[in-house]
Amino acid sequence: AWFKPGHPAHPDDLEPLPFDPAAARTTWEDLAAADRRRVSILCAGEQPLHRRILELALPAFRAAGIELAIEVLEFGSLVQRLGARDFDGVILLKYQDAWVDPWPYFHSSQGGEGGQNWMGFADPESDRLLDAARGEREARARNGVLRAFALRMHELQPVTLLVHPQVRVLLHRRFQGVTVGPLGLVPAGWWVEPGDVLHW
């Protein structure tokens, strides 16, 4: 889902997509019949892991009769291509804000110039849910609407999410006031008892 596991808008009843190579092959054959035997996917040169992921996908594309062209670009050039909607596919790292709002990336009104719905995704039900979430002031109700949107996005797959990185942190017990916020740890709020202060 667009929301990490544990986020109040993450749908806990999300079922994994089926592993169905036969259906996937039919889809690729339809692309090949439409003379889409070559797919170009952009990745940023500053993210070598993304290039490696695409390189690992090459044999699967080849087995399906599709030529995968990996285009490695400097990040600024990649953003320009996204803005111009000049791409078949792209692999990106997306950091979430403290208040997670998928509206800019999936609402159909953001599919034009200047918007961040780069793939031109348009679905009336998704628009309705995204608008409702933005208009809902009560957190529990808003998260319920966002869970419905996450399920809709899972069904339609305008993007494929590869991984939500998880982090574990080891802290010394001297530190007090440590809480985990929406963006992780905020050291500015920590403190230590006077007897636990380390002098260098």
Side-chain angles (χ1 to χ4, degrees):
W2 189 250
F3 311 94
K4 287 188 177 187
H7 188 283
H10 182 274
D12 294 330
D13 56 345
L14 199 65
E15 291 291 331
L17 293 172
F19 181 70
D20 192 343
R25 182 167 288 108
T26 299
T27 301
W28 283 119
E29 287 170 355
D30 290 343
L31 286 172
D35 203 23
R36 288 301 307 271
R37 291 189 172 92
R38 184 178 190 275
V39 175
S40 173
I41 299 183
L42 311 180
C43 68
E46 296 86 345
Q47 295 288 342
L49 176 60
H50 293 177
R51 179 175 186 162
R52 184 66 183 134
I53 289 170
L54 293 174
E55 289 171 344
L56 290 170
L58 281 168
F61 276 79
R62 196 174 298 120
I66 304 294
E67 177 191 353
L68 171 59
I70 302 170
E71 289 193 63
V72 182
L73 302 173
E74 180 271 329
F75 186 70
S77 299
L78 185 145
V79 170
Q80 287 180 339
R81 292 277 296 275
L82 288 176
R85 278 50 174 182
D86 180 21
F87 65 97
D88 294 332
V90 61
I91 183 168
L92 291 171
L93 176 65
K94 175 68 180 85
Y95 291 101
Q96 298 287 13
D97 297 321
W99 192 73
V100 184
D101 181 14
W103 190 91
Y105 309 103
F106 299 102
H107 197 278
S108 62
S109 69
Q110 301 304 295
E113 185 175 349
Q116 292 181 290
N117 178 356
W118 298 303
M119 64 277 195
F121 176 64
D123 173 57
E125 177 62 9
S126 295
D127 283 354
R128 185 189 70 76
L129 291 167
L130 291 169
D131 287 336
R134 275 203 157 185
E136 178 55 65
R137 294 191 302 176
E138 201 279 312
R140 182 175 296 180
R142 182 175 59 252
N143 287 325
V145 175
L146 289 174
R147 279 192 296 276
F149 165 75
L151 290 169
R152 180 69 175 164
M153 193 184 89
H154 182 71
E155 175 189 352
L156 298 178
Q157 287 292 297
V159 298
T160 297
L161 303 169
L162 300 180
V163 65
H164 279 304
Q166 299 290 313
V167 176
R168 296 203 182 275
V169 178
L170 181 65
L171 288 170
H172 195 281
R173 62 179 174 228
R174 295 184 306 114
F175 295 106
Q176 307 294 318
V178 178
T179 58
V180 180
L183 295 180
L185 295 170
V186 184
W190 303 359
W191 54 277
V192 295
E193 295 285 356
D196 289 331
V197 174
L198 297 180
H199 299 281
W200 297 92

